Amino acid sequence: MSSTTTTHETISDAPQANIVLERSGSYYGYLGEDGEGYHHHVDEATNTIYVTENRAERFLPEGAGLYWFRVRGDVDHVEDLEQHTNRDRTHWIAYVESVRGWRERPRDLQALLTTALKGAFADEQ
């Protein structure tokens, strides 16, 4: 008598976790977490802001030399800055500050470098 092994596989039509944004590190930016707990992401390629409940997941695709970022979950708001001639990232940051406030903002590396360089040159004079 032989025994038979039965394997059951469950296939779901439900979508995997909703991917809102997926970009290489060259085109992804993180603005921070607002006062209501939402995270603000920038798609540099399209100049679009995504406001979501989740932080981005950082991953390194096989064979890639650069990290990628993936944002999953529900979207609270999408703002296409290209549709407005008078809006840019700076305006968005100020708007969020006035409406929701910022709980956490990432360090602005450019501002830190500028401050450090100004201090270094001031010491030389």
Side-chain angles (χ1 to χ4, degrees), residues 53-105:
E53 294 179 347
N54 300 315
R55 286 185 172 269
E57 159 195 355
R58 186 177 86 154
F59 65 99
L60 186 61
E62 187 176 330
L66 184 65
Y67 279 99
W68 280 62
F69 294 85
R70 180 182 297 133
V71 180
R72 298 176 191 259
D74 295 330
V75 176
D76 179 61
H77 183 76
V78 176
E79 186 72 25
D80 181 358
L81 297 176
E82 292 295 317
Q83 291 185 355
H84 310 281
T85 57
N86 61 346
R87 283 194 200 159
D88 62 12
R89 186 183 315 186
T90 305
H91 290 101
W92 181 259
I93 291 168
Y95 170 75
V96 172
E97 177 66 39
S98 69
V99 175
R100 296 182 176 185
W102 290 102
R103 182 178 295 166
E104 173 199 339
R105 287 287 323 268

Side-chain angles (χ1 to χ4, degrees), residues 25 98 109 118:
S98 69
L109 185 57
K118 284 181 182 178

Side-chain angles (χ1 to χ4, degrees), residues 1-124:
M1 181 176 234
S2 65
S3 65
T4 306
T5 305
T6 305
T7 304
H8 295 279
E9 183 176 343
T10 303
I11 300 174
S12 171
D13 289 335
Q16 296 299 318
N18 184 26
I19 297 175
V20 175
L21 175 64
E22 187 171 275
R23 287 285 184 207
S24 74
S26 299
Y27 296 106
Y28 172 79
Y30 180 65
L31 297 179
E33 181 180 358
D34 67 30
E36 296 180 10
Y38 288 96
H39 300 274
H40 296 248
H41 313 271
V42 181
D43 179 348
E44 303 275 355
T46 62
N47 203 21
T48 303
I49 306 283
Y50 292 86
V51 182
T52 68
E53 294 179 347
N54 300 315
R55 286 185 172 269
E57 159 195 355
R58 186 177 86 154
F59 65 99
L60 186 61
E62 187 176 330
L66 184 65
Y67 279 99
W68 280 62
F69 294 85
R70 180 182 297 133
V71 180
R72 298 176 191 259
D74 295 330
V75 176
D76 179 61
H77 183 76
V78 176
E79 186 72 25
D80 181 358
L81 297 176
E82 292 295 317
Q83 291 185 355
H84 310 281
T85 57
N86 61 346
R87 283 194 200 159
D88 62 12
R89 186 183 315 186
T90 305
H91 290 101
W92 181 259
I93 291 168
Y95 170 75
V96 172
E97 177 66 39
S98 69
V99 175
R100 296 182 176 185
W102 290 102
R103 182 178 295 166
E104 173 199 339
R105 287 287 323 268
R107 294 178 185 239
D108 182 352
L109 185 57
Q110 183 175 0
L112 291 172
L113 290 173
T114 301
T115 302
L117 288 173
K118 284 181 182 178
F121 287 121
D123 292 341
E124 290 180 4

